[in-house]
């Protein structure tokens, strides 16, 4: 069993290895990145397009119960694939192994259940785990991530044909009054 200070040390060490390789558009949970940086980056890209007469389409995604869905095996594979030193991967495996939980209602406790997925949300290792898990999320548009919140943006230059997802021209907006 690892102490709190051992986990914090491991999180700092792991962060030093991972941060340089992380998606530059991940603004949450990494040193020298913040919500302000994310907003400035998003607004800069949107305003630049709008200033040139273009349009912006945006989709806001919030991964529900994101930390509960971290698969330990995928996570350990990604750590190995990133070239993380074996001793760190082994320490991380130890942190993930034999985790169990119980539920208490009044003075009644449930049986212990071993956990094979998920991470504690308030731990530095839990945060890094989720960031690593979604780091390779890529789509064919501009992406900004802040931990489990993602903004997908399509920047449409002026004069480009704006089409709906079916490939047909989008119908004009319905401007009739609503009663």
């Amino acid at each position: 069993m690892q102490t709190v200070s051992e986990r914090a040390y491991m999180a700092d060490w792991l962060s030093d290895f991972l941060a340089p390789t992380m998606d530059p558009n991940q603004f949450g949970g990494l040193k020298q990145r913040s919500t302000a940086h994310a907003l400035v980056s998003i607004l800069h890209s949107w305003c630049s397009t709008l200033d040139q007469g273009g349009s912006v389409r945006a989709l806001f995604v919030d991964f529900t119960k994101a930390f509960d869905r971290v698969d330990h095996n995928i996570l350990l594979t990604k750590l190995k694939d990133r070239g993380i030193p074996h001793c760190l991967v082994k320490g991380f495996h130890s942190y993930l192994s034999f985790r169990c939980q119980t539920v208490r209602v009044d003075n009644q406790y449930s049986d212990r259940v071993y956990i094979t997925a998920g991470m504690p949300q308030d731990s530095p290792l839990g945060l890094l785990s989720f960031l690593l898990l979604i780091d390779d999320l890529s789509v064919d548009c501009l992406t900004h991530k802040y931990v489990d919140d993602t903004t997908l943006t399509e920047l449409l230059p002026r004069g480009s044909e704006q089409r709906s997802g079916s490939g047909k021209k989008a119908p004009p907006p319905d401007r009739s009054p609503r009663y």
Side-chain angles (χ1 to χ4, degrees):
M1 179 175 246
Q2 297 171 332
T3 65
V4 173
S5 62
E6 288 172 328
R7 287 191 301 267
Y9 176 75
M10 186 167 42
D12 284 345
W13 194 16
L14 189 57
S15 181
D16 290 343
F17 277 102
L18 290 175
T21 66
M22 297 294 272
D23 181 350
N25 284 328
Q26 171 58 263
F27 294 92
L30 298 172
K31 294 175 185 170
Q32 300 178 348
R33 298 186 195 182
S34 68
T35 52
H37 291 110
L39 290 171
V40 166
S41 180
I42 290 170
L43 288 174
H44 175 74
S45 62
W46 291 1
C47 289
S48 295
T49 299
L50 294 171
D51 287 347
Q52 296 170 10
S55 301
V56 174
R57 292 181 184 158
L59 175 67
F60 302 94
V61 179
D62 182 356
F63 293 101
T64 304
K65 297 193 176 262
F67 287 83
D68 295 341
R69 301 183 193 283
V70 174
D71 182 292
H72 296 171
N73 293 322
I74 292 172
L75 183 61
L76 291 168
T77 299
K78 286 188 174 202
L79 286 170
K80 291 175 194 170
D81 291 348
R82 290 278 175 114
I84 301 301
H86 180 71
C87 61
L88 248 180
V89 175
K90 192 174 176 182
F92 205 79
H93 181 265
S94 172
Y95 172 69
L96 296 173
S97 298
F98 305 110
R99 299 179 66 83
C100 62
Q101 69 181 20
T102 60
V103 176
R104 181 181 128 194
V105 178
D106 294 325
N107 288 330
Q108 300 287 331
Y109 290 88
S110 69
D111 293 334
R112 284 186 182 183
V113 176
Y114 285 93
I115 303 168
T116 59
M119 297 297 291
Q121 189 167 351
D122 294 336
S123 77
L125 284 174
L127 178 61
L128 276 174
S129 300
F130 184 75
L131 295 181
L132 179 60
L133 197 66
I134 67 162
D135 188 58
D136 54 2
L137 168 72
S138 64
V139 290
D140 195 23
C141 65
L142 182 60
T143 305
H144 290 84
K145 303 175 210 168
Y146 193 87
V147 189
D148 61 344
D149 297 311
T150 300
T151 303
L152 306 172
T153 303
E154 183 179 21
L155 303 172
L156 302 165
R158 181 161 107 193
S160 68
E161 278 197 55
Q162 298 178 16
R163 296 184 176 270
S164 64
S166 65
K168 299 177 184 175
K169 277 192 176 181
D174 181 8
R175 299 187 197 276
S176 58
R178 304 269 183 227
Y179 298 103

